[in-house]
């Protein structure tokens, strides 16, 4: 009976970590959407709110870290449970860095919103949607233990990389044609690079999920 009680408590603690990670993931997805909205709709007030919201992501990172370390110390988990907790510790780091990238996008949006628009934002929202979907699917793969979905996330990173390259080529053409556009173009390129990094963090999570499920490190191996 005591062992059963211990097992139930342990399961509850793992579920709490899982739920906190999903909460953090949901907030990060909202940050991606709001960061892009602040740029496309030239909403500087939303950019400022999103920058401030990054504090909530940082707080959640510390809460989850503390809970994971507490469970490691008290329960001394083994095998799959140990991989789950060590993975959770790594996932929160990637999610926190995604929050930082969103704040960086908002800082560029704040600057770009004060200048005339260089061009309609078409590919950046597509990049943001793809990157956000990757984050959501990576976390879904983690919760469901779905290695096939995790592999899909890794493969989807190529689409974001291609959009980033396309945006950079287009903006290079603007800068070569009119030096007055260089400042604005460089800020948009920075936004594009931030979105690419968000997708990279989602890929990191997906790769770690595959490791958790299969015990196999597939980093640098998926084409």
């Amino acid at each position: 009976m005591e062992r059963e009680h211990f097992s139930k408590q342990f399961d509850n603690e793992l579920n709490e970590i899982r739920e906190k990670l999903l909460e953090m993931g949901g907030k990060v997805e909202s940050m991606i959407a709001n960061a892009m909205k602040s740029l496309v709709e030239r909403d500087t007030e939303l950019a400022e709110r999103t920058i401030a919201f990054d504090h909530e992501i940082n707080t959640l990172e510390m809460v989850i870290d503390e809970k994971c370390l507490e469970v490691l110390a008290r329960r001394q988990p083994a095998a799959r449970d140990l991989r789950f907790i060590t993975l959770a510790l790594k996932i929160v780091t990637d999610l926190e860095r995604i929050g930082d990238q969103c704040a960086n996008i908002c800082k560029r949006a704040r600057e770009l919103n004060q200048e005339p628009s260089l061009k309609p934002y078409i590919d950046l929202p597509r990049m943001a949607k793809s990157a956000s979907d990757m984050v959501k699917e990576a976390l879904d793969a983690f919760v469901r233990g779905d290695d096939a979905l995790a592999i899909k996330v890794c493969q989807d990173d190529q689409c974001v990389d291609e959009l980033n390259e396309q945006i950079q080529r287009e903006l290079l053409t603007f800068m070569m044609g009119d030096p007055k556009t260089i400042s604005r173009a460089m800020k948009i390129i920075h936004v594009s690079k931030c979105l690419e990094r968000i997708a990279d963090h989602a890929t990191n999570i997906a790769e770690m999920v595959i490791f958790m499920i299969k015990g196999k490190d597939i980093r640098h191996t998926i084409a």
Side-chain angles (χ1 to χ4, degrees), residues 32 97-98 101-102 105 131-132 134-135 193-203:
I32 298 170
R97 287 175 181 166
I98 291 172
Q101 295 300 334
C102 292
I105 291 170
S132 183
M134 286 174 67
V135 173
K193 286 182 177 177
C194 287
L195 291 171
E196 184 197 23
R197 289 180 190 128
I198 289 171
D200 287 343
H201 287 303
T203 302

Side-chain angles (χ1 to χ4, degrees), residues 21-40:
L21 274 172
L22 287 176
E23 179 188 349
M24 189 176 181
K27 289 186 174 184
V28 160
E29 288 171 44
S30 294
M31 281 189 77
I32 298 170
N34 287 335
M36 192 48 46
K37 185 177 181 182
S38 74
L39 178 66
V40 173

Side-chain angles (χ1 to χ4, degrees), residues 35-64:
M36 192 48 46
K37 185 177 181 182
S38 74
L39 178 66
V40 173
E41 299 185 7
R42 302 176 70 83
D43 189 338
T44 300
E45 186 179 332
L46 178 59
E48 296 285 7
R49 290 201 307 270
T50 306
I51 292 168
F53 189 77
D54 190 37
H55 175 71
E56 290 197 29
I57 303 299
N58 296 338
T59 299
L60 266 174
E61 180 193 23
M62 291 187 288
V63 168
I64 296 168

Side-chain angles (χ1 to χ4, degrees), residues 6-22 64 67-72 74-89 142-143 212:
F6 176 88
S7 176
K8 187 174 181 181
Q9 276 189 328
F10 184 39
D11 287 343
N12 287 341
E13 287 168 345
L14 293 180
N15 283 333
E16 183 183 346
I17 292 169
R18 192 177 286 112
E19 286 168 9
K20 284 291 182 186
L21 274 172
L22 287 176
I64 296 168
K67 185 64 184 177
C68 288
L69 294 173
E70 178 190 330
V71 171
L72 281 172
R74 290 176 58 233
R75 304 299 188 188
Q76 297 181 343
R80 188 181 178 91
D81 290 333
L82 178 60
R83 287 205 297 267
F84 170 86
I85 293 170
T86 54
L87 175 57
L89 283 165
F142 170 67
V143 170
M212 179 187 75

Side-chain angles (χ1 to χ4, degrees), residues 109-177:
R110 189 171 57 188
E111 295 164 358
L112 285 162
N113 292 350
Q114 295 175 14
E115 303 179 67
S117 179
L118 180 61
K119 63 181 288 293
Y121 297 118
I122 298 170
D123 290 326
L124 283 176
R126 288 173 59 202
M127 267 188 89
K129 177 68 166 59
S130 295
S132 183
D133 287 347
M134 286 174 67
V135 173
K136 183 179 187 306
E137 289 179 350
L139 290 172
D140 285 347
F142 170 67
V143 170
R144 303 202 306 247
D146 187 341
D147 59 314
L149 183 58
I151 289 171
K152 176 186 177 296
V153 172
C154 295
Q155 293 169 337
D156 287 347
D157 189 43
Q158 181 66 29
C159 175
V160 176
D161 288 343
E162 288 171 0
L163 280 170
N164 178 51
E165 290 171 7
Q166 179 179 318
I167 289 167
Q168 292 199 39
R169 284 195 304 268
E170 184 179 0
L171 289 167
L172 182 60
T173 303
F174 271 90
M175 290 188 285
M176 290 171 65

